[in-house]
Amino acid sequence: MVKIGNIELGEFPLLLAPMEDVSDPPFRYVCKQNGVDLMYTEFISSEGLIRDAAKSLQKLDIFEYERPIGIQIFGSNIESMREATIVATKVEPDLIDINYGCPVKNVACKGAGASLLQDIDKMVKMTKAVVEATHLPVTVKTRLGWDDNTKNVHEVAERLQEVGIKALTIHGRTRAQMYKGSADWTMIRDIKRNPNIEIPIFGNGDVDSAEKAFAWRKEYEVDGIMIGRASIGYPWIFREVKHYFETGETLPGPTISERVEVCRTHFLKSVEWKGEKTGIFEMRRHYANYFKGLPNSKDLRSQLVTLNSVYEINAVLDEISETYSSVLA
């Protein structure tokens, strides 16, 4: 049984990665329905939280059905991170996660996210401040290092465990790699094998099928797997991985009517949570993935991303369901 503090996550948990502009409540809802074990909010700026920035505060929205759920924060100032932890704790998530992995320029170049891999002493101080500011378990997500010459995640794992983190997720790339090349999980396995490491170690990066999840679980000995990009527009990945673990069989992919229904649920939740205008606009990034592989899927997407009313979008979704169910039957 994998545990983070007192949170029991089963034998081999599947985690939904915190993805900026993706891991919002509507998306988390459809992932939860497909069996994900632990989810995180999009990352939230500590400065935004302590200044009451509306966008940051909205990201604190969590719902009972999402539990267990963690709020992920990032920042470059230790005091701001401490204060942000207090704000986030008041919302009563199940845990607080610190982002030391985001490679994006406007985060890393401001001394937050992955840039702290260049200053482990500061990272340790910041983590300690967060741990001491909350009664909740604190977890961390990071990368192998800043670049190929500074892969220091071994030291990071030991030192952060010392100051009290309860789990560590490692993305198998350096900051310099961004999302290019292949993720390398061998260092993740080395950390898992380190006799000094007692906390759960989760692997992240490039898991995009049930078969790969199964193979990597064995090969890299991790306690669980975090899935990010492969779940965008395809929340069924969690269901498929679990089915494969339990039976050794590949679950058939979702039917057209299932794709449409889940897409519609995601869309309507988006409108309900963000309001019609923003909900419609922000849903546009998901359609391509929901209908990937369908004949003429580009045309469908072009149509869906130009519409501005709930009624029209629902009508196109109905049309997709009717047209393709007969074509593919």
Side-chain angles (χ1 to χ4, degrees):
M1 169 69 71
V2 175
K3 288 175 81 173
I4 296 178
N6 295 323
I7 307 163
E8 296 189 350
L9 295 173
E11 286 308 305
F12 189 83
L14 300 179
L15 288 65
L16 173 65
M19 294 175 281
E20 173 71 345
D21 294 333
V22 176
S23 306
D24 58 14
F27 179 68
R28 298 198 301 261
Y29 181 84
V30 294
C31 289
K32 188 71 179 180
Q33 287 187 310
N34 280 282
V36 70
D37 296 297
L38 174 61
M39 304 192 290
Y40 295 89
T41 60
E42 300 168 76
F43 69 1
I44 306 176
S45 154
S46 55
E47 300 296 338
L49 268 193
I50 60 181
R51 297 202 179 111
D52 291 346
K55 193 175 180 196
S56 298
L57 291 176
Q58 191 190 23
K59 288 181 184 177
L60 287 175
D61 281 2
I62 54 177
F63 300 90
E64 279 307 307
Y65 62 76
E66 300 185 294
R67 296 189 183 280
I69 182 155
I71 287 178
Q72 192 191 63
I73 57 174
F74 75 93
S76 59
N77 179 288
I78 293 174
E79 180 54 25
S80 301
M81 285 289 279
R82 192 188 68 76
E83 288 176 37
T85 303
I86 294 168
V87 175
T89 301
K90 284 181 182 153
V91 186
E92 299 181 359
D94 297 284
L95 55 90
I96 302 285
D97 188 75
I98 310 174
N99 179 313
Y100 293 138
C102 179
V104 183
K105 272 207 173 97
N106 65 1
V107 174
C109 294
K110 286 182 181 163
S115 78
L116 283 141
L117 285 161
Q118 298 176 103
D119 188 348
I120 296 183
D121 289 345
K122 181 176 177 183
M123 184 195 272
V124 171
K125 280 185 193 140
M126 184 179 282
T127 308
K128 188 169 188 283
V130 169
V131 169
E132 288 172 355
T134 183
H135 65 282
L136 297 169
V138 173
T139 60
V140 161
K141 180 162 191 249
T142 190
R143 289 182 168 234
L144 301 177
W146 180 255
D147 57 25
D148 280 347
N149 304 318
T150 55
K151 289 183 179 173
N152 48 13
V153 72
H154 291 284
E155 183 188 346
V156 167
E158 286 203 10
R159 291 185 63 186
L160 295 189
Q161 179 181 267
E162 263 170 44
V163 293
I165 69 164
K166 299 296 184 213
L168 178 65
T169 300
I170 303 165
H171 181 100
R173 289 181 171 85
T174 61
R175 188 272 168 177
Q177 276 181 280
M178 301 293 282
Y179 294 100
K180 299 185 184 80
S182 301
D184 173 12
W185 284 42
T186 50
M187 283 183 79
I188 305 176
R189 180 177 56 206
D190 293 345
I191 287 165
K192 187 58 209 159
R193 287 178 175 175
N194 176 348
N196 298 327
I197 295 293
E198 292 162 4
I199 57 173
I201 300 294
F202 303 121
N204 171 235
D206 293 357
V207 174
D208 54 11
S209 70
E211 293 79 0
K212 192 184 273 189
F214 182 78
W216 287 16
R217 173 184 182 174
K218 279 190 135 151
E219 188 178 348
Y220 297 112
E221 302 163 21
V222 287
D223 294 299
I225 288 175
M226 180 181 276
I227 295 175
R229 287 175 294 167
S231 66
I232 301 176
Y234 201 86
W236 301 279
I237 183 132
F238 298 105
R239 173 177 89 177
E240 290 173 8
V241 171
K242 289 201 154 167
H243 183 81
Y244 196 92
F245 282 165
E246 282 159 24
T247 64
E249 291 166 8
T250 304
L251 195 66
T255 61
I256 295 301
S257 61
E258 229 182 327
R259 286 187 188 212
V260 171
E261 277 322 297
V262 172
C263 179
R264 193 194 308 275
T265 299
H266 186 172
F267 165 59
L268 294 174
K269 290 257 174 211
S270 189
V271 169
E272 185 189 321
W273 185 60
K274 301 171 187 170
E276 188 165 344
K277 192 178 174 195
T278 311
I280 287 172
F281 178 73
E282 294 195 353
M283 189 64 196
R284 288 175 178 172
R285 63 172 67 94
H286 294 279
Y287 295 126
N289 286 342
Y290 272 115
F291 302 114
K292 203 193 299 188
L294 290 191
N296 303 329
S297 64
K298 277 206 173 97
D299 299 346
L300 293 172
R301 183 174 160 262
S302 312
Q303 208 177 343
L304 285 166
V305 300
T306 52
L307 300 174
N308 289 311
S309 87
V310 172
Y311 175 79
E312 290 172 320
I313 292 168
N314 267 325
V316 172
L317 292 174
D318 289 339
E319 197 185 318
I320 292 171
S321 202
E322 283 158 27
T323 310
Y324 287 97
S325 297
S326 54
V327 169
L328 301 169

